[in-house]
Amino acid sequence: MFTYIIHRLAAAVPTLLGVAVIVFLMLRLLPGDPARVTAGVLASAEDVERIRHQLGLDQPLVVQFALFLGGLLRLDLGLSARTSQPVIQEVLARLPYTIELAVMATAIATAIGIAAGVVAATHHNSKVDYLVSAASLCGVSMPVYWLGLMLIVVFAINLGWFPAAGADQPASFVLPSLTLASFTVALIARMTRSSMMEVMGQDYITTARS
């Protein structure tokens, strides 16, 4: 098991390096000047050049990438252009809410997905099966960011059932959890339906029924 884990970690290194290269290039291709954004609109040209030097943006691209990788290895993600605080502190401050939201979304997706898949498989070619299949198709195809906005408009703004933002009460996690779970629910429901129908067609199931 230890050898297997080592091999898996070693295989993940090229993938992580590729992701780092893509992220680095995307940041460099985005329009705008990070030094100007950090310095502010009213900053002088000398202040912008000074900040560009501090950020290493006046270095060759290869040197910038080496500094970028070094910062990642040290968990030094730089300073936030919005709050001027270390980015790693901004991430760690929000990490507990992210974990809580991920756990809730996974629990909802698992419960609803398995239940919907079982019902669809046991009612094959019925209206219930068609309804679950249509809902699964919508869940897979629907953009998550659009669904989240629609849930906020309907259930937070129009009906006022849930908060539109925040994390100070359990109800604040309902809408984002449902939004994140929608795609996974569809996948689990489709997989459960297919797997259960395959098992129900086996000889031992036919023998047990007879």
Side-chain angles (χ1 to χ4, degrees), residues 12 16 25 37 58 65 74 98-99 104 111 126 157 159 165 171 173 208:
L16 295 176
L25 293 179
V37 174
D58 55 348
F65 182 67
R74 299 191 309 271
T98 303
I99 296 175
M104 293 181 63
S126 65
I157 297 177
L159 298 178
F173 290 90

Side-chain angles (χ1 to χ4, degrees), residues 11-94:
V13 171
T15 302
L16 295 176
L17 183 61
V19 172
V21 171
I22 293 174
V23 171
F24 176 79
L25 293 179
M26 289 180 62
L27 291 176
R28 294 304 181 272
L29 292 176
L30 288 176
D33 186 0
R36 169 61 66 181
V37 174
T38 304
V41 180
L42 302 179
S44 62
E46 291 78 9
D47 293 334
V48 174
E49 289 298 327
R50 177 175 52 82
I51 293 178
R52 182 176 288 108
H53 177 72
Q54 292 176 354
L55 297 177
L57 298 177
D58 55 348
Q59 300 289 335
L61 197 62
V62 177
V63 177
Q64 294 184 37
F65 182 67
L67 295 175
F68 177 73
L69 282 182
L72 289 180
L73 294 177
R74 299 191 309 271
L75 296 181
D76 181 10
L77 304 180
L79 299 178
S80 172
R82 183 174 59 88
T83 62
S84 298
Q85 298 295 323
V87 174
I88 188 63
Q89 293 184 7
E90 301 277 349
V91 173
L92 293 177
R94 293 160 176 80

Side-chain angles (χ1 to χ4, degrees), residues 2 12-13 15 28 38 42 71 100 134 152 169 177 182 189-190 210:
F2 179 76
V13 171
T15 302
R28 294 304 181 272
T38 304
L42 302 179
E100 185 175 358
I152 291 176
Q169 51 183 323
S177 298
S182 60
R190 291 164 66 95
S210 61

Side-chain angles (χ1 to χ4, degrees), residues 96-176:
Y97 303 106
T98 303
I99 296 175
E100 185 175 358
L101 184 59
V103 170
M104 293 181 63
T106 303
I108 293 174
T110 303
I112 298 179
I114 293 178
V118 170
V119 171
T122 54
H123 297 78
H124 182 52
N125 288 335
S126 65
K127 293 182 179 180
V128 176
D129 185 18
Y130 296 146
L131 180 61
V132 172
S133 299
S136 299
L137 181 61
C138 292
V140 172
S141 306
M142 189 176 302
V144 177
Y145 59 86
W146 181 86
L147 177 62
L149 291 176
M150 293 302 101
L151 290 179
I152 291 176
V153 170
V154 175
F155 295 101
I157 297 177
N158 293 339
L159 298 178
W161 292 356
F162 302 102
D168 54 343
Q169 51 183 323
S172 303
F173 290 90
V174 173
L175 295 183

